Amino acid sequence: MFKVADLFDLAQTEHAAVFEGCTYAWEALKNIEPYLAKVTKQNPPKRFPGATIGDKVIIGEGTVVEPGALIKGPAIIGKNCQIRHNAYLRENVIIGDNCTVGNASELKNALLFNGAQVPHFNYIGDSILGHKAHLGAGVKISNIKLLAGNIQVEMDGKPFDTGLRKFGALLGDHAEAGCNAVLNPGSILGRNAIVYPNVFWRGILAANMIAKNKAEIEVVARRPKGS
């Protein structure tokens, strides 16, 4: 569950070099910034009127950046993507081909494999989303603990220090989180795993597993006014 090959198909990104030398997949998070430091300066504001695009931003052919989007850079955005109105791409963002970043979605130090979707009101900080991973509306990935210390994951039944103060989540290929779910720091979802809407998730969810919220809903009769 922790190795790169356990979660991601590196053929579905042009940036596999980010994972070079990584024993555990989360170690790639430290490589995003130096990888992007090699980006040559490119500022294409005339292609996207109404959008704000900083230096060191590369945008692939066929990608649309709608008015109101802000891309600070450095960033690499692949081909045929949609960067929608009010999307906010902060520092050190890598986005693959055929991805969607939607209204009021914010990304920071993040890598999205080809086909990943973060279309509505999402926060993705210090995280990696695999091929065709998807976040429902309002999903938030928390990337830092309230208490001091590095993020830990459970390995062989014991806490394991990732060495990262900021680490949001790893979503394997085709993993999904439903509307308004929260993924706590250090969450790892295996390939094809699903977190249902409104679930407050912490820890490891194995491949092909579903995390459900079993909270019961009470249904009562509606009383007439004045009764």
Side-chain angles (χ1 to χ4, degrees):
M1 277 292 295
F2 302 133
K3 302 293 181 66
V4 176
D6 294 336
L7 296 166
F8 307 120
D9 177 3
L10 292 183
Q12 292 296 333
T13 177
E14 293 186 1
H15 310 285
V18 174
F19 295 90
E20 288 182 359
C22 295
T23 301
Y24 303 113
W26 58 74
E27 293 173 339
L29 294 170
K30 296 185 294 185
N31 297 338
I32 295 174
E33 182 175 0
Y35 180 83
L36 286 171
K38 303 174 185 177
V39 173
T40 57
K41 184 175 181 179
Q42 181 173 334
N43 191 346
K46 293 182 180 179
R47 288 176 54 191
F48 307 108
T52 302
I53 302 173
D55 294 337
K56 296 187 177 181
V57 175
I58 294 176
I59 299 176
E61 183 179 354
T63 287
V64 174
V65 182
E66 294 183 356
L70 192 160
I71 306 172
K72 290 182 69 174
I76 299 175
I77 302 171
K79 301 175 183 177
N80 302 313
C81 296
Q82 293 185 40
I83 310 300
R84 294 175 177 167
H85 176 70
N86 284 340
Y88 181 26
L89 277 60
R90 292 166 56 191
E91 301 85 353
N92 305 315
V93 173
I94 299 173
I95 296 175
D97 299 336
N98 303 300
C99 292
T100 299
V101 179
N103 177 49
S105 292
E106 177 180 344
L107 280 70
K108 169 255 179 187
N109 197 57
L111 190 158
L112 275 57
F113 278 64
N114 296 340
Q117 306 286 315
V118 290
H120 312 286
F121 306 101
N122 304 122
Y123 176 69
I124 301 95
D126 301 282
S127 299
I128 300 172
L129 275 62
H131 176 48
K132 293 190 175 180
H134 173 262
L135 302 184
V139 173
K140 303 299 186 293
I141 299 178
S142 178
N143 62 331
I144 187 169
K145 299 192 303 182
L146 292 176
L147 301 176
N150 291 338
I151 307 300
Q152 296 182 334
V153 298
E154 184 176 316
M155 187 180 296
D156 299 325
K158 299 179 181 179
F160 181 86
D161 188 344
T162 65
L164 299 173
R165 176 69 176 128
K166 293 184 178 182
F167 168 18
L170 306 176
L171 276 70
D173 297 336
H174 299 275
E176 298 195 47
C179 295
N180 294 319
V182 175
L183 305 181
N184 280 276
S187 293
I188 300 176
L189 309 186
R191 282 189 169 102
N192 302 300
I194 295 176
V195 171
Y196 266 28
N198 296 312
V199 169
F200 184 80
W201 179 258
R202 182 187 304 276
I204 314 302
L205 183 62
N208 303 304
M209 300 302 288
I210 299 175
K212 296 184 178 182
N213 187 342
K214 293 186 176 181
E216 295 184 2
I217 298 175
E218 183 181 5
V219 179
V220 298
R222 182 174 178 178
R223 297 179 180 179
K225 290 183 180 180
S227 61

